[in-house]
Amino acid sequence: MSRKRRAEQIRLIAEHVLTTPILLEGDAAELLCVLREGAHTANLRLTDHASAAEPAHIVVLAVERDARRSSLVKAATMLRELDEQVAPDAVRIVVVQSARSKLAPPKLQRLVASEVLFQAALALSSIVPDLRERTLRQRLGLTTLDAAGFRILRFG
């Protein structure tokens, strides 16, 4: 795929994400802090529990991995609790953080953000058609996140 076409896809995703309310929630406090900081820097529209006037169309849930309980069950439970603040057709992305990811360098936040955007783009295939393949950089980034203890899941 050419750079020009890839740049156009990224522009379409960015236009949609910048106009859509995003809900950042979860129990991984450090990761949430980093994600919120990045969202404010990028001028994204964030919503929270208190401002349920407009439902969120993209939900990013940061979950702390617990050895006693399944992260998938924990994430599904948390997403069910957020149903009132979320639009029915919303994209739900879960970032699972394990204990070893706390040792990872802070530069991984860009990789997490990149993978979250890629997952949102896959879910919003009507906005960016034909986005099915990852670039080499994206594949290396996903491998790095996996080695650092991050898992990115998409619900819907």
Side-chain angles (χ1 to χ4, degrees):
M1 179 177 297
S2 70
R3 284 185 179 203
K4 192 174 190 178
R5 185 169 174 184
R6 178 77 60 189
E8 179 65 21
Q9 288 177 340
I10 291 171
R11 188 187 63 75
L12 289 172
I13 295 166
E15 282 179 7
H16 182 75
V17 169
L18 287 173
T19 60
T20 304
I22 299 171
L23 178 63
L24 292 175
E25 279 299 320
D27 62 353
E30 292 174 18
L31 182 59
L32 271 176
C33 183
V34 168
L35 289 173
R36 284 190 177 121
E37 205 173 281
H40 286 297
T41 303
N43 294 328
L44 297 177
R45 288 180 47 201
L46 295 179
T47 185
D48 58 2
H49 285 31
S51 63
E54 187 176 0
H57 291 282
I58 297 176
V59 178
V60 179
L61 188 65
V63 176
E64 186 77 35
R65 185 168 178 238
D66 187 0
R68 297 171 292 174
R69 200 170 135 186
S70 169
S71 300
L72 187 60
V73 172
K74 187 177 180 181
T77 304
M78 291 173 124
L79 286 171
R80 272 195 299 272
E81 292 171 0
L82 296 173
D83 273 346
E84 294 176 9
Q85 292 91 16
V86 178
D89 62 340
V91 177
R92 295 162 178 89
I93 299 171
V94 178
V95 180
V96 180
Q97 179 182 21
S98 70
R100 74 176 179 226
S101 66
K102 293 182 180 181
L103 301 173
K107 289 183 179 182
L108 285 178
Q109 71 181 357
R110 286 185 296 198
L111 292 176
V112 171
S114 174
E115 183 60 24
V116 166
L117 276 177
F118 183 78
Q119 292 295 332
L122 284 177
L124 302 169
S125 60
S126 61
I127 295 171
V128 183
D130 301 330
L131 181 67
R132 293 287 174 224
E133 62 185 45
R134 294 178 190 270
T135 63
L136 178 62
R137 177 176 278 172
Q138 288 172 326
R139 286 184 289 205
L140 290 173
L142 186 59
T143 303
T144 304
L145 287 175
D146 187 40
F150 288 102
R151 300 279 189 270
I152 316 277
L153 310 168
R154 180 172 35 97
F155 291 79

